[in-house]
Amino acid sequence: MSDTSVLTRAEAVERHRLLDVRTVRLDLDLTRGPEVFGSTTVIRFGCTTPGAGTYVDVKPAALRRVVLNGRELDVAALRAGRFPLTGLAADNELTVEADMAYSHTGEGMHRFTDPADGEDYVYTQSFLDDGPRVFASFDQPDLKARYTVSVTAPRQWTVVGNGVGRQVTPGRWEFAPTPAISSYLVSVVAGPLHSVRAEHDGIPLGLHCRRSLAAHLDADAPELLEVTRQGFDHYHRVFRHRYPFDSYDQCFVPEFNAGAMENPGCVTLRDEFVFRSAVDDTRREERALVVVHEMAHMWFGDLVTMKWWDDLWLNESFAEYMAYSVTASSTRFTSAWTGFAANRKTWGYDADQRPSTHPVAPGTVDDTAQALQNFDGISYAKGAAALRQLVAWLGEEAFLAGVNDYFDEHAFGNATLDDLLRALAATSGRDVHGWADRWLRTTGVDTLRLADGRIEHTSADGGPRPHQLTVGHYRRTAEGALELADRVPLDLAADSTAAVKTDAELTLLNDTDLSFVKIRLDPGSWRTVRSSLGAVPEELARAVLWSAARDQVRDGELAPGEYLELVAAHLPGETSVHLVDAVLSFARDFVVDCAVPPTARPGALAVLNEVCRTLLRRTEDETDHTGLRLVAARGVIGTAAGEAQAAELRDWLAAGTVPGGPVLDPDLRWQLLLRLCVLGAAGEPEIAAELAADPSDTSEKGAARCRAALPDPGAKEAAWQALFHGELSNYLAAATARGLWQPEQAELLDGLTARYFEELGSAAARRGPALARVLATTGFPAFAATERTVRAAEACLADPELTAATRRGLVDQLDTLRRAVRARARAEQ
Ligand SMILES: [Zn+2]
């Protein structure tokens, strides 16, 4: 928020030099009504330079009392989230009492009232610098302390915290002291929770959610607990250090901004992972990945924590790499790497080709506001892919040996990238620092282009990276199918060009997706792809090919129409849900909605509709409706157009099912109603009836999205006022933003595009970073892919007052917009 300071790296270094934080006692009072809660913090800390001064971070609604070593201090001294402390002793005790405000943006202590039953729930999100909105602290990752937390809550509530908790008297909860942890990891979750408890290998396990989701959590608990157990077993097999905390609670919380947060012993996850509606296996796999990702953080991030936010990537890249590796090898989701190739990596590729890209390991991150912007596709997807390269090069044994030495040396402390590189160099005997200079200190995606039997290796920043990869050669069988003839490992040094035989029907570089690289095929192989992509025998290789087609569209090298021809020819026969899901998403979101010229859009949409109908027919005999059939049904609904198809959707809604299944559950009902609203075939009466039938948060979001999507000036204005001038929670804002812009309504929305760029800056600044991201990304008029929108976005970016989160969101959306404009121009040629 604009009224608080950001912590600079220089300030953190100075405060770390000065202070030795030992223990923190935190007492919260959650019984003071819906606006504020009580927060009392007692910090015991040493000071290396008695007489010196510093400040404590605190962002209260009202500061009540500050006492330093028995001295009452004037609370009026608080400035921009910092309270100055002077005349420190060698040993100090600081008490801070404050009223803190609940938030509705997922930052600090979020409060949520469940529309299903009127029950209230609260949870903290202390990351990255929002801890002081809950309790006073020296808020930087390298001032770890032991936290002892107690909470007063309404009597019927359950409270979960980092340590094992118990209710000592009705409504009064006390938690076991934590080991030394960073302030951004302190967590409290409270409300009339529904809990499932279990145990594994001596570790108490808990799953928690709000009461209205109880039946759904109970149904999913066996799978969640199984993945958790498999994760613990895997990590205990590969890490020498046992799980370092006393219990493992996973709390599914409402309106959570990220996927999850790795608070030691009290992980918070978005409660959309407690499935109220049918989901395909890619969503279950995603949830398993998140579960084991957070578990990896218990060691990498929580036991050993980065010294400063410049090594945030190290947390995320490591957890992300481990998540895919553990999920693929130790859970039932054995094709997790296909999801990485088809979906997750595109996040990293896109991010790495934007003006906002940065090295995986940035040289310097000057302050916390900048650090928050690096929480992106580079830190997660590219970083994980880079670590995968490192493991391929060092071997898993040497990699894990180095990681274990790193844990031993820095347990319950802090470390830097260099500490890890030294450990890995020692166990592997390789020049790991040299590798890091090439992969982690540079930006941009390399391209490997196969031409005339040689690999042409280019790099966006002029410094190509070394690649460990494989080359697959595919041949025709007598029956006309494709089969793998051979697969050759290739160690592509940074500055060499390699000879590759190209006499096969299809020669595919990086066919096992080991590296992070764009590939371009030789002309003969590309002809094979056009005729036979669907016949390539391995799904990972098909994922690499779809990804290559995708970035050729984004790079303006493949016309949108040609991409849709590939989709029409090869998706109806596809068996991988990962691929169908990823290809349909890109085909719809970028190709049809942005890159295809408006006059050609109805035809393009009809192509997708027909592909999905074919998939629906192909899966008619399946009894399980949660795989391809579910994706196909969603596709048919989302691409419906014209009166006949609208009438068909109305019939489905009345019948409560897609003919032959799936049955319409809440998600499908709202998706269907949304499409009818966009087409002008349903309106407020239908929305109100649906909301009355299921008064849940799913319905509140569904209704907000539907209302914003109505093709009516009054509805658009109401959505606009709510989004830019109201106080919507983070999730309702996102739902409204998703409904607002509909390519079908281009004429109606014309005036709003200009207004968006006029009002974005002030609205985003008023609501803070989380809402700024919603407004600048989800709220961006991506469908309006014209030069006029490009110029309006550029003019908006020229405003020096834009906050960091707004600027970053806008820069990234503008990059995608420019690519769409270019693709449109190509299509119009
Ligand atoms: Zn993470």
Side-chain angles (χ1 to χ4, degrees):
M1 308 292 278
S2 54
D3 61 339
T4 61
S5 311
V6 292
L7 181 69
T8 67
R9 185 197 178 105
E11 289 169 336
V13 167
E14 171 57 18
R15 199 160 60 171
H16 181 266
R17 190 190 63 73
L18 198 63
L19 302 186
D20 167 29
V21 186
R22 293 160 192 159
T23 63
V24 177
R25 270 194 295 122
L26 170 60
D27 192 0
L28 299 175
D29 182 359
L30 306 178
T31 63
R32 296 193 190 168
E35 304 296 331
V36 297
F37 59 98
S39 168
T40 302
T41 316
V42 181
I43 309 175
R44 292 176 186 273
F45 62 101
C47 175
T48 56
T49 315
T54 185
Y55 55 88
V56 67
D57 301 295
V58 58
K59 304 170 184 172
L63 189 58
R64 296 292 176 200
R65 196 162 171 249
V66 181
V67 183
L68 177 63
N69 299 329
R71 225 169 357 119
E72 292 272 351
L73 304 180
D74 181 1
V75 295
L78 179 69
R79 288 284 178 281
R82 293 176 173 184
F83 191 90
L85 304 171
T86 52
L88 294 175
D91 297 292
N92 301 275
E93 182 180 283
L94 173 71
T95 301
V96 180
E97 287 178 30
D99 295 348
M100 298 287 187
Y102 289 114
S103 100
H104 298 284
T105 63
E107 298 153 309
M109 179 86 81
H110 187 87
R111 188 178 179 102
F112 173 81
T113 302
D114 191 338
D117 54 16
E119 297 285 359
D120 295 312
Y121 297 87
V122 303
Y123 65 87
T124 59
Q125 172 70 345
S126 301
F127 184 85
L128 180 151
D129 59 352
D130 283 326
R133 296 170 68 153
V134 180
F135 57 96
S137 74
F138 299 109
D139 191 34
Q140 60 190 66
D142 65 349
L143 288 175
K144 288 190 171 186
R146 293 170 64 91
Y147 283 79
T148 305
V149 177
S150 50
V151 177
T152 302
R155 288 175 172 224
Q156 68 280 19
W157 283 20
T158 300
V159 186
V160 184
N162 298 100
V164 167
R166 64 194 183 99
Q167 190 170 198
V168 289
T169 56
R172 180 69 183 165
W173 294 74
E174 290 183 356
F175 295 87
T178 68
I181 61 173
S182 301
S183 51
Y184 78 91
L185 295 168
V186 173
S187 177
V188 168
V189 176
L193 298 168
H194 173 69
S195 301
V196 176
R197 295 184 194 277
E199 184 268 349
H200 181 64
D201 196 5
I203 304 164
L205 306 178
L207 302 173
H208 313 271
C209 70
R210 58 198 150 94
R211 203 174 271 175
S212 66
L213 296 177
H216 306 290
L217 182 65
D218 288 348
D220 277 1
E223 178 170 305
L224 284 164
L225 290 171
E226 182 184 33
V227 170
T228 304
R229 290 181 171 118
Q230 287 165 334
F232 271 124
D233 288 347
H234 189 111
Y235 291 127
H236 282 153
R237 206 161 48 239
V238 299
F239 297 154
R240 285 199 296 268
H241 225 282
R242 245 186 87 80
Y243 173 63
F245 306 101
D246 64 6
S247 57
Y248 198 70
D249 286 292
Q250 297 176 83
C251 305
F252 294 86
V253 297
E255 301 193 309
F256 196 72
N257 284 327
M261 179 66 205
E262 66 267 24
N263 314 302
C266 185
V267 172
T268 39
L269 305 95
R270 59 167 54 213
D271 69 13
E272 290 171 316
F273 284 132
V274 178
F275 302 126
R276 282 191 80 213
S277 301
V279 290
D280 63 70
D281 248 15
T282 64
R283 290 280 290 143
R284 291 188 178 275
E285 178 184 289
E286 183 194 350
R287 183 175 70 181
L289 285 161
V290 170
V291 167
V292 295
H293 173 117
E294 304 312 322
M295 295 177 82
H297 276 314
M298 296 300 128
W299 285 263
F300 214 108
D302 296 359
L303 174 68
V304 180
T305 309
M306 75 224 138
K307 182 155 180 56
W308 176 245
W309 300 110
D310 52 2
D311 280 331
L312 174 68
W313 74 275
L314 196 53
N315 274 9
E316 296 313 336
S317 305
F318 184 88
E320 189 82 346
Y321 167 73
M322 290 306 292
Y324 280 94
S325 170
V326 173
T327 300
S329 66
S330 291
T331 75
R332 75 179 173 89
F333 302 102
T334 50
S335 62
W337 286 116
T338 304
F340 189 63
N343 191 355
R344 195 66 161 178
K345 272 175 87 178
T346 60
W347 187 28
Y349 286 135
D350 292 357
D352 208 15
Q353 296 176 75
R354 287 182 181 135
S356 60
T357 190
H358 53 87
V360 175
T364 52
V365 170
D366 292 334
D367 58 44
T368 51
Q370 197 190 335
L372 198 58
Q373 308 317 316
N374 284 349
F375 208 53
D376 60 9
I378 303 289
S379 294
Y380 285 81
K382 184 184 180 183
L387 286 186
R388 198 176 181 207
Q389 277 287 295
L390 182 62
V391 175
W393 183 52
L394 300 182
E396 194 167 21
E397 204 176 313
F399 174 74
L400 288 171
V403 167
N404 276 310
D405 288 352
Y406 169 85
F407 290 156
D408 284 349
E409 193 175 339
H410 304 286
F412 300 109
N414 296 82
T416 63
L417 168 61
D418 195 55
D419 293 322
L420 179 65
L421 295 182
R422 271 192 287 108
L424 293 171
T427 54
S428 68
R430 302 278 184 104
D431 177 18
V432 183
H433 286 86
W435 176 90
D437 285 343
R438 303 290 338 128
W439 267 101
L440 305 179
R441 298 295 190 191
T442 56
T443 60
V445 189
D446 284 6
T447 301
L448 302 181
R449 185 182 300 273
L450 200 50
D452 303 325
R454 300 204 79 82
I455 295 176
E456 187 187 301
H457 185 177
T458 53
S459 164
D461 64 353
R465 286 140 204 91
H467 295 272
Q468 305 284 324
L469 47 82
T470 57
V471 184
H473 298 283
Y474 296 80
R475 66 180 167 218
R476 287 273 175 207
T477 65
E479 295 76 35
L482 283 173
E483 68 178 12
L484 185 67
D486 65 3
R487 174 170 287 144
V488 189
L490 192 63
D491 182 349
L492 197 62
D495 54 356
S496 82
T497 54
V500 171
K501 66 184 170 79
T502 53
D503 52 351
E505 187 78 12
L506 167 63
T507 301
L508 181 53
L509 300 172
N510 198 32
D511 69 326
T512 49
D513 197 45
L514 208 51
S515 197
F516 184 84
V517 66
K518 294 206 294 192
I519 55 143
R520 293 292 183 265
L521 283 74
D522 65 282
S525 292
W526 185 248
R527 272 195 299 278
T528 304
V529 168
R530 293 175 71 148
S531 67
S532 312
L533 197 168
V536 174
E538 289 172 34
E539 65 175 28
L540 200 49
R542 295 199 298 279
V544 171
L545 288 166
W546 279 115
S547 180
R550 179 189 187 276
D551 58 49
Q552 287 179 80
V553 176
R554 284 175 45 86
D555 288 352
E557 296 173 21
L558 183 68
E562 290 178 76
Y563 183 86
L564 290 176
E565 282 170 21
L566 280 179
V567 174
H570 302 298
L571 213 59
E574 181 55 59
T575 52
S576 162
V577 184
H578 279 303
L579 289 181
V580 172
D581 200 39
V583 171
L584 279 179
S585 296
F586 176 71
R588 175 60 193 273
D589 296 346
F590 184 80
V591 180
V592 173
D593 281 359
C594 305
V596 165
T599 50
R601 187 172 178 276
L605 199 60
V607 168
L608 292 192
N609 189 268
E610 192 46 45
V611 165
C612 294
R613 280 176 195 275
T614 309
L615 281 165
L616 210 53
R617 283 193 292 274
R618 211 189 86 202
T619 52
E620 246 161 21
D621 297 334
E622 289 182 6
T623 49
D624 176 12
H625 296 157
T626 63
L628 272 181
R629 192 165 173 82
L630 181 61
V631 179
R634 276 199 222 114
V636 172
I637 293 169
T639 55
E643 279 179 30
Q645 291 188 351
E648 183 185 31
L649 293 197
R650 272 199 301 270
D651 290 346
W652 293 4
L653 193 60
T657 183
V658 177
V663 166
L664 297 183
D665 53 29
D667 280 356
L668 278 174
R669 290 189 72 85
W670 280 108
Q671 201 208 334
L672 202 151
L673 192 53
L674 172 71
R675 196 61 196 159
L676 290 174
C677 287
V678 171
L679 298 174
E684 183 55 36
E686 289 88 349
I687 297 169
E690 199 65 35
L691 193 53
D694 171 29
S696 64
D697 62 313
T698 310
S699 293
E700 282 203 331
K701 284 181 286 180
R705 190 171 179 179
C706 282
R707 283 174 176 142
L710 290 171
D712 167 68
K716 295 296 179 197
E717 185 59 31
W720 192 272
Q721 289 301 329
L723 201 51
F724 289 87
H725 304 283
E727 295 294 330
L728 290 177
S729 74
N730 48 347
Y731 270 36
L732 284 177
T736 305
R738 285 195 187 97
L740 183 67
W741 306 112
Q742 300 293 338
E744 280 83 359
Q745 302 163 359
E747 246 171 81
L748 177 66
L749 294 166
D750 195 44
L752 287 183
T753 310
R755 196 167 151 199
Y756 171 81
F757 295 107
E758 285 159 19
E759 296 183 18
L760 171 66
S762 57
R766 180 176 66 85
R767 301 290 324 263
L771 263 290
R773 270 191 298 278
V774 170
L775 293 171
T777 57
T778 316
F780 187 87
F783 79 100
T786 63
E787 285 294 346
R788 189 173 63 144
T789 315
V790 169
R791 282 194 300 275
E794 286 169 348
C796 183
L797 272 170
D799 176 2
E801 299 288 303
L802 288 185
T803 65
T806 315
R807 181 172 302 280
R808 178 60 187 275
L810 211 49
V811 165
D812 291 353
Q813 293 302 310
L814 178 58
D815 177 65
T816 303
L817 184 75
R818 285 199 179 106
R819 288 171 184 273
V821 170
R822 195 161 56 200
R824 232 184 231 194
R826 191 188 161 98
E828 280 165 345
Q829 274 170 11

